[in-house]
Amino acid sequence: MTEIIGVRFKGTGKIYYFDPGPEKLSKGDMAVVETSRGVECGEVAMPNCHVQDSAVVQPLRRMLRKATPQDMAQVEENRQKEKSAFLACEKRIAARGLEMKLVDVEYTFDGGKILFYFTADGRVDFRELVKDLAGMFRTRIELRQIGVRDEAKMLGGIGICGRPFCCSSFLGSFQPVSIKMAKEQGLSLNPVKISGACGRLMCCLKYEQEAYQDLLRSTPRVNALVSTPDGKGVVIEQNLLTRKLTVRLDKDPDAAPKVYTVDQVKLLKDGRVKLDKQELERLKNLE
């Protein structure tokens, strides 16, 4: 077992392990640590605890110190510098006519590097912009192109559910989300209804998927052949949450379909969740 602390550098970012040494820290404390990109100050998300050796990526870096008032003053000063750097970079982008949108600026704790995050539709030649910024700030400059999901995570906002974005409030990392998930959950494949503010499929489709898969294992799918108290029929609609099926009976296909609970039917041949080519073509840009 290895004793560690977990440090997070962004509000809902990934948690990184560090060796606390003899220090005992609590959740919410600030710690100064050395990372691959230099000295950083982050929030303790996991206090001193022991984890399996296999869960630790070696070599485990040691925490430098618990943040002092001077360190916190440095962090606040960097936040003010970031605002000025953001405005200065936007002006240079406009002056050079570059097709890119500046999203965020981040100073490393020691001021040895400034990171500029931006989005763009394609590749952007920003070499001259880097020279401009290096001349202005006299430090190392890094421009990093990010995706629309990362932009939403950085900026935050309110989703169509009326709550803050999942990505900016509690999701530590993005998980793959597919059109098939929306289909299995019985959602309308209308891009407006299944995509978030970022224009990609809603993240909540992923963390609800396990529950729907569990229900699908015991619920006949659409087009499944079932036996009912009134005879054989084909499932034309299902409601996974209420566990009710709408069935068109073989003996009277022109009559109104009947509704049964899952317990009232017996599965004879299950159906499949399918996506036709037109649906895939229309929605491929959402994934």
Side-chain angles (χ1 to χ4, degrees), residues 175-240:
Q175 299 294 323
V177 186
S178 68
I179 298 296
K180 187 179 179 182
M181 292 179 183
K183 188 88 169 182
E184 288 183 337
Q185 294 176 28
L187 299 176
S188 166
L189 297 188
N190 181 336
V192 176
K193 294 184 178 180
I194 60 175
S195 59
C198 61
R200 298 291 187 266
L201 289 173
M202 294 186 294
C203 294
C204 55
L205 293 177
K206 175 65 177 179
Y207 57 77
E208 292 180 353
Q209 179 65 6
E210 187 176 341
Y212 278 95
Q213 286 180 327
D214 185 56
L215 289 171
L216 281 169
R217 280 192 282 269
S218 59
T219 306
R221 304 170 191 256
V222 173
N223 295 324
L225 179 63
V226 295
S227 174
T228 76
D230 302 307
K232 293 181 181 180
V234 176
V235 177
I236 61 172
E237 187 178 328
Q238 66 173 184
N239 189 316
L240 290 175

Coordinates of all heavy atoms in Angstrom, one line a residue, residues 175-240:
Q175 N -16.6 10.7 -21.4 CA -16.7 9.3 -21.8 C -17.4 9.2 -23.1 O -18.1 10.1 -23.5 CB -17.6 8.5 -20.8 CG -17.0 8.5 -19.4 CD -15.8 7.7 -19.3 OE1 -15.6 6.7 -19.9 NE2 -14.8 8.1 -18.4
P176 N -17.0 8.2 -24.0 CA -17.6 8.1 -25.3 C -19.1 8.0 -25.2 O -19.7 7.2 -24.4 CB -17.0 6.8 -25.9 CG -15.8 6.6 -25.1 CD -16.1 7.1 -23.7
V177 N -19.8 8.7 -26.1 CA -21.3 8.7 -26.1 C -21.7 8.4 -27.6 O -21.1 9.0 -28.5 CB -21.9 10.0 -25.7 CG1 -23.4 9.9 -25.6 CG2 -21.4 10.5 -24.3
S178 N -22.6 7.5 -27.8 CA -23.0 7.1 -29.1 C -24.5 7.3 -29.4 O -25.3 7.4 -28.5 CB -22.6 5.6 -29.4 OG -23.5 4.8 -28.6
I179 N -24.8 7.4 -30.7 CA -26.2 7.5 -31.1 C -27.0 6.3 -30.7 O -28.2 6.4 -30.3 CB -26.3 7.6 -32.7 CG1 -25.5 8.9 -33.1 CG2 -27.7 7.7 -33.1 CD1 -26.2 10.2 -32.6
K180 N -26.4 5.1 -30.6 CA -27.0 3.9 -30.3 C -27.6 4.0 -28.8 O -28.7 3.5 -28.5 CB -26.1 2.7 -30.4 CG -26.8 1.3 -30.1 CD -25.9 0.2 -30.2 CE -26.6 -1.1 -30.0 NZ -25.7 -2.3 -30.0
M181 N -26.9 4.7 -28.0 CA -27.4 4.9 -26.6 C -28.7 5.6 -26.6 O -29.6 5.3 -25.9 CB -26.3 5.7 -25.8 CG -25.1 5.0 -25.5 SD -23.9 6.0 -24.6 CE -22.5 4.9 -24.5
A182 N -28.8 6.7 -27.4 CA -30.1 7.4 -27.5 C -31.2 6.6 -28.0 O -32.3 6.6 -27.5 CB -29.9 8.7 -28.4
K183 N -30.8 5.7 -29.0 CA -31.8 4.8 -29.6 C -32.3 3.8 -28.5 O -33.5 3.6 -28.4 CB -31.2 4.1 -30.8 CG -32.2 3.3 -31.6 CD -32.8 4.1 -32.7 CE -33.6 3.2 -33.6 NZ -34.2 3.9 -34.7
E184 N -31.4 3.2 -27.8 CA -31.8 2.2 -26.8 C -32.6 2.8 -25.6 O -33.4 2.2 -25.0 CB -30.5 1.6 -26.2 CG -29.8 0.6 -27.2 CD -28.6 -0.1 -26.6 OE1 -28.1 0.4 -25.6 OE2 -28.3 -1.2 -27.1
Q185 N -32.4 4.1 -25.4 CA -33.1 4.8 -24.3 C -34.5 5.3 -24.8 O -35.2 6.0 -24.0 CB -32.2 5.9 -23.7 CG -31.0 5.3 -23.0 CD -30.1 6.4 -22.5 OE1 -30.5 7.5 -22.1 NE2 -28.8 6.1 -22.4
G186 N -34.8 5.0 -26.0 CA -36.1 5.4 -26.5 C -36.3 6.9 -26.8 O -37.4 7.4 -26.7
L187 N -35.1 7.6 -27.0 CA -35.2 9.1 -27.2 C -35.5 9.4 -28.6 O -35.1 8.7 -29.5 CB -33.9 9.7 -26.7 CG -33.6 9.5 -25.2 CD1 -32.2 10.2 -24.9 CD2 -34.6 10.2 -24.4
S188 N -36.1 10.5 -28.9 CA -36.2 11.0 -30.2 C -34.9 11.4 -30.8 O -34.1 12.0 -30.1 CB -37.1 12.3 -30.2 OG -37.1 13.0 -31.5
L189 N -34.6 10.9 -32.0 CA -33.3 11.2 -32.6 C -33.3 12.5 -33.3 O -32.8 12.7 -34.4 CB -32.9 10.1 -33.6 CG -32.7 8.7 -33.0 CD1 -32.2 7.7 -34.0 CD2 -31.8 8.8 -31.8
N190 N -33.8 13.5 -32.6 CA -33.8 14.9 -33.1 C -32.6 15.6 -32.5 O -32.4 15.6 -31.3 CB -35.1 15.6 -32.6 CG -35.1 17.1 -33.0 OD1 -34.1 17.7 -33.3 ND2 -36.3 17.6 -33.1
P191 N -31.6 16.0 -33.3 CA -30.4 16.6 -32.8 C -30.6 17.7 -31.7 O -29.8 17.8 -30.8 CB -29.7 17.2 -34.0 CG -30.3 16.4 -35.2 CD -31.7 16.1 -34.8
V192 N -31.7 18.4 -31.8 CA -31.9 19.5 -30.8 C -32.2 18.9 -29.4 O -31.8 19.5 -28.4 CB -33.1 20.4 -31.3 CG1 -33.4 21.4 -30.2 CG2 -32.7 21.1 -32.6
K193 N -32.8 17.7 -29.4 CA -33.3 17.1 -28.1 C -32.2 16.2 -27.5 O -32.3 16.0 -26.3 CB -34.5 16.3 -28.4 CG -35.7 17.2 -28.8 CD -37.0 16.4 -28.9 CE -38.2 17.3 -29.2 NZ -39.5 16.5 -29.3
I194 N -31.2 15.7 -28.2 CA -30.3 14.8 -27.6 C -28.9 15.4 -27.6 O -27.9 14.7 -27.2 CB -30.2 13.5 -28.4 CG1 -29.9 13.7 -29.9 CG2 -31.6 12.8 -28.3 CD1 -29.7 12.4 -30.6
S195 N -28.7 16.6 -28.0 CA -27.4 17.3 -27.9 C -27.4 18.4 -26.9 O -28.4 19.0 -26.6 CB -27.0 17.8 -29.3 OG -27.9 18.8 -29.8
G196 N -26.2 18.6 -26.3 CA -26.0 19.6 -25.3 C -25.7 21.0 -25.9 O -25.7 21.1 -27.2
A197 N -25.3 21.9 -25.1 CA -25.0 23.3 -25.6 C -23.7 23.3 -26.4 O -23.5 24.1 -27.3 CB -24.8 24.2 -24.4
C198 N -22.9 22.2 -26.2 CA -21.7 22.1 -27.0 C -21.9 21.6 -28.4 O -21.0 21.7 -29.3 CB -20.7 21.2 -26.3 SG -21.3 19.5 -26.1
G199 N -23.1 21.1 -28.7 CA -23.5 20.6 -30.0 C -23.2 19.1 -30.2 O -23.4 18.6 -31.2
R200 N -22.7 18.5 -29.1 CA -22.4 17.1 -29.1 C -23.5 16.3 -28.3 O -24.2 16.9 -27.5 CB -21.0 16.8 -28.6 CG -19.9 17.4 -29.4 CD -19.8 16.7 -30.8 NE -18.6 17.1 -31.5 CZ -18.6 18.1 -32.4 NH1 -19.8 18.8 -32.6 NH2 -17.5 18.5 -33.0
L201 N -23.5 15.0 -28.4 CA -24.5 14.2 -27.6 C -24.3 14.5 -26.1 O -23.2 14.7 -25.6 CB -24.3 12.7 -27.9 CG -24.7 12.2 -29.3 CD1 -24.2 10.8 -29.4 CD2 -26.2 12.4 -29.5
M202 N -25.5 14.6 -25.4 CA -25.5 14.9 -24.0 C -24.7 13.8 -23.2 O -24.9 12.6 -23.4 CB -26.9 15.0 -23.5 CG -27.7 16.1 -24.0 SD -29.3 16.3 -23.3 CE -30.1 14.8 -23.8
C203 N -23.8 14.3 -22.3 CA -23.0 13.4 -21.5 C -23.9 12.5 -20.6 O -23.5 11.3 -20.3 CB -22.1 14.2 -20.6 SG -20.8 15.1 -21.4
C204 N -25.1 12.9 -20.2 CA -25.9 12.1 -19.3 C -26.4 10.9 -20.0 O -26.8 9.9 -19.3 CB -27.1 12.9 -18.8 SG -28.1 13.7 -20.1
L205 N -26.3 10.8 -21.3 CA -26.7 9.5 -22.0 C -25.8 8.4 -21.6 O -26.2 7.2 -21.5 CB -26.6 9.7 -23.5 CG -27.6 10.6 -24.2 CD1 -27.3 10.7 -25.7 CD2 -29.0 10.2 -24.0
K206 N -24.5 8.7 -21.3 CA -23.6 7.7 -20.9 C -23.8 7.1 -19.5 O -23.9 5.9 -19.3 CB -22.2 8.3 -20.9 CG -21.1 7.3 -20.4 CD -20.9 6.1 -21.3 CE -19.8 5.2 -20.8 NZ -19.7 4.0 -21.7
Y207 N -24.0 8.0 -18.5 CA -24.1 7.5 -17.2 C -25.5 7.0 -16.8 O -25.7 6.5 -15.7 CB -23.6 8.5 -16.1 CG -24.2 9.8 -16.0 CD1 -25.4 10.1 -15.5 CD2 -23.5 10.9 -16.5 CE1 -26.0 11.3 -15.4 CE2 -24.0 12.2 -16.5 CZ -25.2 12.4 -15.9 OH -25.8 13.7 -15.8
E208 N -26.5 7.1 -17.7 CA -27.8 6.5 -17.5 C -27.8 5.2 -18.3 O -28.8 4.4 -18.1 CB -28.9 7.4 -18.0 CG -29.1 8.6 -17.1 CD -30.2 9.5 -17.6 OE1 -30.7 9.3 -18.7 OE2 -30.5 10.5 -16.9
Q209 N -26.9 5.0 -19.2 CA -26.9 3.8 -20.1 C -26.9 2.5 -19.4 O -27.6 1.6 -19.8 CB -25.7 3.9 -21.1 CG -25.7 2.8 -22.1 CD -26.8 2.7 -23.1 OE1 -27.6 3.6 -23.1 NE2 -26.9 1.7 -23.9
E210 N -26.2 2.4 -18.3 CA -26.1 1.1 -17.6 C -27.5 0.7 -17.1 O -27.8 -0.5 -17.2 CB -25.1 1.2 -16.4 CG -24.8 -0.1 -15.7 CD -23.8 0.0 -14.7 OE1 -23.0 1.0 -14.7 OE2 -23.7 -0.9 -13.8
A211 N -28.2 1.6 -16.6 CA -29.6 1.3 -16.1 C -30.5 0.8 -17.2 O -31.3 -0.1 -17.1 CB -30.2 2.5 -15.4
Y212 N -30.4 1.5 -18.4 CA -31.2 1.1 -19.5 C -30.8 -0.3 -20.0 O -31.7 -1.1 -20.4 CB -31.1 2.2 -20.6 CG -32.0 3.3 -20.4 CD1 -31.6 4.5 -19.8 CD2 -33.4 3.3 -20.8 CE1 -32.4 5.6 -19.5 CE2 -34.2 4.4 -20.5 CZ -33.8 5.5 -19.9 OH -34.6 6.6 -19.7
Q213 N -29.5 -0.6 -20.1 CA -29.1 -1.9 -20.5 C -29.6 -3.0 -19.6 O -29.9 -4.1 -20.1 CB -27.5 -1.9 -20.6 CG -27.0 -1.1 -21.7 CD -25.5 -1.2 -21.8 OE1 -24.8 -1.2 -20.7 NE2 -24.9 -1.1 -23.0
D214 N -29.6 -2.7 -18.3 CA -30.1 -3.7 -17.4 C -31.6 -3.9 -17.6 O -32.1 -5.1 -17.6 CB -29.9 -3.2 -15.9 CG -30.3 -4.2 -14.9 OD1 -29.8 -5.3 -14.9 OD2 -31.2 -3.9 -14.0
L215 N -32.4 -2.9 -17.9 CA -33.8 -3.0 -18.2 C -34.0 -3.7 -19.6 O -35.0 -4.5 -19.7 CB -34.5 -1.6 -18.3 CG -34.7 -0.9 -16.9 CD1 -35.1 0.5 -17.2 CD2 -35.7 -1.6 -16.1
L216 N -33.2 -3.5 -20.5 CA -33.3 -4.1 -21.9 C -33.1 -5.6 -21.8 O -33.6 -6.3 -22.6 CB -32.3 -3.5 -22.8 CG -32.7 -2.1 -23.4 CD1 -31.5 -1.5 -24.2 CD2 -33.9 -2.3 -24.4
R217 N -32.3 -6.1 -20.8 CA -32.0 -7.5 -20.7 C -33.3 -8.3 -20.3 O -33.4 -9.5 -20.6 CB -30.9 -7.7 -19.7 CG -29.5 -7.5 -20.2 CD -28.5 -8.1 -19.3 NE -28.3 -7.2 -18.1 CZ -27.3 -6.2 -18.1 NH1 -26.6 -6.0 -19.2 NH2 -27.2 -5.4 -17.1
S218 N -34.2 -7.6 -19.7 CA -35.5 -8.3 -19.3 C -36.7 -7.7 -20.0 O -37.8 -8.1 -19.6 CB -35.6 -8.2 -17.8 OG -35.7 -6.8 -17.3
T219 N -36.5 -6.9 -21.0 CA -37.7 -6.3 -21.6 C -37.6 -6.6 -23.1 O -36.6 -6.2 -23.8 CB -37.7 -4.8 -21.4 OG1 -37.7 -4.5 -20.0 CG2 -39.0 -4.2 -22.0
P220 N -38.6 -7.2 -23.7 CA -38.6 -7.4 -25.2 C -38.4 -6.1 -25.9 O -39.0 -5.1 -25.6 CB -39.9 -8.0 -25.5 CG -40.3 -8.7 -24.2 CD -39.8 -7.8 -23.1
R221 N -37.6 -6.1 -27.0 CA -37.4 -4.9 -27.8 C -38.5 -4.7 -28.8 O -39.3 -5.6 -29.1 CB -36.0 -4.9 -28.4 CG -34.9 -5.2 -27.5 CD -33.6 -5.4 -28.2 NE -32.5 -5.9 -27.3 CZ -31.5 -5.2 -26.9 NH1 -31.4 -3.9 -27.3 NH2 -30.6 -5.7 -26.1
V222 N -38.4 -3.5 -29.5 CA -39.4 -3.2 -30.6 C -39.1 -4.3 -31.7 O -37.9 -4.6 -31.9 CB -39.2 -1.8 -31.1 CG1 -40.0 -1.6 -32.3 CG2 -39.6 -0.8 -30.0
N223 N -40.1 -4.8 -32.3 CA -40.1 -5.8 -33.4 C -39.9 -7.2 -32.8 O -39.7 -8.2 -33.6 CB -39.0 -5.5 -34.4 CG -39.3 -4.2 -35.2 OD1 -40.5 -4.0 -35.5 ND2 -38.3 -3.5 -35.5
A224 N -39.9 -7.4 -31.5 CA -39.7 -8.7 -30.9 C -41.1 -9.5 -31.1 O -42.2 -8.9 -31.0 CB -39.4 -8.6 -29.4
L225 N -41.0 -10.8 -31.2 CA -42.2 -11.6 -31.3 C -42.5 -12.1 -29.9 O -41.6 -12.7 -29.2 CB -41.9 -12.8 -32.3 CG -43.1 -13.8 -32.4 CD1 -44.3 -13.1 -33.0 CD2 -42.6 -15.0 -33.3
V226 N -43.7 -11.9 -29.4 CA -44.0 -12.3 -28.0 C -45.3 -13.1 -28.0 O -46.2 -13.0 -28.9 CB -44.1 -11.1 -27.1 CG1 -42.8 -10.4 -27.0 CG2 -45.2 -10.1 -27.6
S227 N -45.5 -13.8 -26.9 CA -46.8 -14.5 -26.7 C -47.5 -13.7 -25.6 O -47.0 -13.5 -24.5 CB -46.5 -15.9 -26.3 OG -47.7 -16.6 -25.9
T228 N -48.8 -13.4 -25.8 CA -49.6 -12.6 -24.9 C -50.8 -13.5 -24.4 O -51.1 -14.5 -25.1 CB -50.1 -11.3 -25.5 OG1 -51.1 -11.6 -26.4 CG2 -48.9 -10.6 -26.2
P229 N -51.5 -13.0 -23.4 CA -52.8 -13.7 -23.1 C -53.8 -13.8 -24.2 O -54.7 -14.6 -24.2 CB -53.3 -12.9 -21.9 CG -52.1 -12.3 -21.3 CD -51.2 -12.0 -22.5
D230 N -53.6 -12.9 -25.2 CA -54.6 -12.9 -26.3 C -54.0 -13.5 -27.6 O -54.6 -13.3 -28.7 CB -55.0 -11.4 -26.6 CG -55.6 -10.8 -25.4 OD1 -56.6 -11.4 -24.9 OD2 -55.1 -9.7 -25.0
G231 N -52.8 -14.1 -27.5 CA -52.2 -14.7 -28.7 C -50.8 -14.1 -29.0 O -50.4 -13.2 -28.3
K232 N -50.2 -14.5 -30.1 CA -48.9 -14.0 -30.5 C -49.0 -12.6 -31.1 O -50.1 -12.3 -31.7 CB -48.3 -15.0 -31.5 CG -47.9 -16.3 -30.9 CD -47.2 -17.2 -32.0 CE -46.8 -18.5 -31.4 NZ -46.2 -19.4 -32.5
G233 N -47.9 -11.9 -31.0 CA -47.9 -10.5 -31.6 C -46.5 -10.0 -31.7 O -45.6 -10.6 -31.2
V234 N -46.4 -8.8 -32.2 CA -45.1 -8.1 -32.4 C -45.1 -6.8 -31.6 O -46.1 -6.0 -31.6 CB -44.9 -7.8 -33.9 CG1 -43.6 -7.0 -34.1 CG2 -44.8 -9.1 -34.7
V235 N -44.1 -6.6 -30.9 CA -43.9 -5.4 -30.1 C -43.7 -4.2 -31.0 O -42.7 -4.2 -31.8 CB -42.8 -5.5 -29.0 CG1 -42.6 -4.2 -28.3 CG2 -43.0 -6.6 -28.1
I236 N -44.5 -3.2 -30.9 CA -44.3 -2.0 -31.8 C -43.9 -0.8 -31.0 O -43.4 0.2 -31.5 CB -45.6 -1.7 -32.6 CG1 -46.8 -1.4 -31.6 CG2 -46.0 -2.8 -33.5 CD1 -48.0 -0.8 -32.3
E237 N -44.0 -0.9 -29.7 CA -43.5 0.2 -28.8 C -43.3 -0.4 -27.4 O -44.0 -1.3 -26.9 CB -44.6 1.3 -28.7 CG -44.2 2.6 -28.0 CD -45.2 3.6 -28.0 OE1 -46.0 3.7 -29.0 OE2 -45.3 4.4 -27.0
Q238 N -42.2 0.2 -26.8 CA -41.9 -0.2 -25.4 C -41.6 1.0 -24.5 O -41.2 2.0 -25.0 CB -40.6 -1.1 -25.4 CG -39.4 -0.4 -25.8 CD -38.1 -1.2 -25.6 OE1 -37.1 -0.7 -25.8 NE2 -38.2 -2.5 -25.2
N239 N -41.9 0.9 -23.3 CA -41.6 1.9 -22.3 C -40.8 1.2 -21.2 O -41.4 0.5 -20.4 CB -42.9 2.6 -21.7 CG -42.6 3.8 -20.9 OD1 -41.6 3.8 -20.1 ND2 -43.3 4.8 -21.1
L240 N -39.5 1.4 -21.2 CA -38.6 0.7 -20.3 C -38.9 1.1 -18.9 O -38.8 0.2 -18.0 CB -37.2 1.0 -20.7 CG -36.6 0.4 -22.0 CD1 -35.2 0.9 -22.2 CD2 -36.7 -1.1 -21.9

